[in-house]
């Protein structure tokens, strides 16, 4: 017999209480109502060398009918390392269908970090490059699932201790790029809270030209000093995978405490993969400026 919504909700409550007691301060409740959590995982307790933040959202059907939505956040986690770890988590989910799996995921990640600590040099090898990624970015997007379709609604579940009247950060507008009648323009603002992200987006959408754009793709990364992890998210706004690519670019460039929005006005001619090149170039240019 399938589990009822009430039973699933109770299973989630029990699992969260257990994880909170096991991991203590490393376990963080981002939003209780929307079931958003993150946990800082490291290879050891004393002077950890490898650290990663696992961010999860528990959908209503978890654990019996739906997997958790998750992100793996670490500046060194890229390419093959990212793909292999994501595949390991998928495998654990498949092997334990219908069961609570967050503890298994956390310990699997810790196992990987311990192996890296034992087999590597004194410092993590963080690859920093500004070269365009020529592939389709599917490796990075393996585990990313859009949380909300409505851009402003997406940020309503993110909480912040900042006051409602928090100051609007300055917004910088980059130089537009035009190709075959499509125009791309990036906008950037320094942000340290998700409330500031929301305020900047609201301010941008007050501009009729920006609000009328075919797509307003964005990504942000905020460094949480107390947890030494990143709070980050992105939005495609109908341009499939564009938000994830933009966030990936920001990770490669190792930028933080910033929101980047790229507006695209479609000119009627399909650009194919070139549209992603223009989105990334706009974003890179505004970051450099």
């Amino acid at each position: 017999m399938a589990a009822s919504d009430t039973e699933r909700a109770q299973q989630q409550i029990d699992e969260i209480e257990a994880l909170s007691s096991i991991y203590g301060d490393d376990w963080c409740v981002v939003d209780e109502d929307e079931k958003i959590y993150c946990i800082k995982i490291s290879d050891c307790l004393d002077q950890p060398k490898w650290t990663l933040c696992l961010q999860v959202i528990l959908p209503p059907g978890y654990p019996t009918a739906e997997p958790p939505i998750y992100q793996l956040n670490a500046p060194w986690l890229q390419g093959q390392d990212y793909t292999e770890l994501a595949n390991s988590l998928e495998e654990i989910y498949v092997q334990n269908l219908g069961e609570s799996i967050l503890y298994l995921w956390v310990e699997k990640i810790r196992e990987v970090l311990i192996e890296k600590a034992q087999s590597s040099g004194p410092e993590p090898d963080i690859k920093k490059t500004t070269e365009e990624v020529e592939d389709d970015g599917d490796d990075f997007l393996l585990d990313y699932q859009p949380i909300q379709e409505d851009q402003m609604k997406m940020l309503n579940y993110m909480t912040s201790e900042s006051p409602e009247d928090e100051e609007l950060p300055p917004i910088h507008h980059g130089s537009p790029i035009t190709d075959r009648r499509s125009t791309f323009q990036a906008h950037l603002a320094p942000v340290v809270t998700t409330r500031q992200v929301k305020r900047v987006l609201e301010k941008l959408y007050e501009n009729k030209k920006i609000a009328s754009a075919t797509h307003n793709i964005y990504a942000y990364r905020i460094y949480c000093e107390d947890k030494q992890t990143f709070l980050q998210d992105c939005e495609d706004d109908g341009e499939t995978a564009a938000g994830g690519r933009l966030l990936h670019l920001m990770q490669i460039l190792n930028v933080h405490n910033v929101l980047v929005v790229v507006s695209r006005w479609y000119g009627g001619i399909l650009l194919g993969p070139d549209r992603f090149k223009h989105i990334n170039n706009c974003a890179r240019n505004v970051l450099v400026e």
Side-chain angles (χ1 to χ4, degrees), residues 11-177:
Q11 284 177 299
Q12 290 189 16
I13 291 169
D14 293 343
E15 182 176 17
I16 294 310
E17 287 180 353
L19 293 169
S20 178
S21 63
I22 293 169
Y23 298 115
D25 291 341
D26 288 337
W27 177 263
C28 174
V29 179
V30 178
D31 189 317
E32 186 67 60
D33 293 337
E34 296 292 338
K35 309 293 185 186
I36 306 171
Y37 309 92
C38 71
I39 178 168
K40 178 183 173 185
I41 309 165
S42 56
D43 56 275
C44 67
L45 294 175
D46 299 321
Q47 297 182 328
K49 184 163 59 175
W50 296 86
T51 301
L52 181 151
C53 178
L54 170 67
Q55 217 171 308
V56 295
I57 300 175
L58 302 185
Y62 174 80
T64 58
E66 292 181 84
I69 299 167
Y70 72 95
Q71 284 185 297
L72 302 168
N73 302 330
W76 53 266
L77 187 64
Q78 298 174 24
Q80 190 65 25
D81 284 345
Y82 195 104
T83 304
E84 288 176 1
L85 186 50
N87 287 343
S88 295
L89 300 191
E90 303 282 350
E91 193 172 301
I92 289 172
Y93 172 71
V94 171
Q95 290 173 349
N96 298 273
L97 282 174
E99 298 177 17
S100 300
I101 57 165
L102 294 185
Y103 177 79
L104 296 176
W105 275 8
V106 172
E107 292 310 308
K108 176 60 181 179
I109 292 169
R110 193 186 310 283
E111 180 185 311
V112 169
L113 297 181
I114 290 172
E115 288 175 2
K116 293 188 78 64
Q118 293 173 343
S119 62
S120 67
E123 293 294 334
D125 179 20
I126 300 173
K127 182 182 178 184
K128 295 181 180 178
T129 175
T130 57
E131 293 179 5
E132 178 99 18
V133 179
E134 293 295 337
D135 62 23
D136 61 8
D138 285 345
D139 284 356
F140 170 72
L141 295 167
L142 270 174
D143 67 337
Y144 182 79
Q145 300 179 39
I147 299 164
Q148 299 280 355
E149 293 182 3
D150 184 320
Q151 292 196 47
M152 293 315 302
K153 186 179 177 184
M154 187 196 79
L155 282 164
N156 287 338
Y157 63 66
M158 303 302 286
T159 59
S160 170
E161 296 177 358
S162 305
E164 290 289 346
D165 59 350
E166 188 167 5
E167 183 180 353
L168 176 71
I171 301 173
H172 178 73
H173 305 281
S175 301
I177 294 175

Side-chain angles (χ1 to χ4, degrees), residues 187-227:
H187 323 279
L188 177 149
V191 293
V192 292
T193 68
T194 53
R195 195 179 304 282
Q196 285 186 326
V197 172
K198 185 178 178 183
R199 285 216 60 195
V200 171
L201 291 173
E202 288 173 340
K203 185 64 177 178
L204 286 172
Y205 298 150
E206 287 176 8
N207 182 303
K208 291 182 180 179
K209 182 181 178 183
I210 293 173
S212 68
T214 315
H215 310 288
N216 281 303
I217 303 124
Y218 71 77
Y220 65 86
R221 298 187 81 216
I222 298 170
Y223 184 64
C224 305
E225 191 74 41
D226 55 339
K227 297 290 183 183

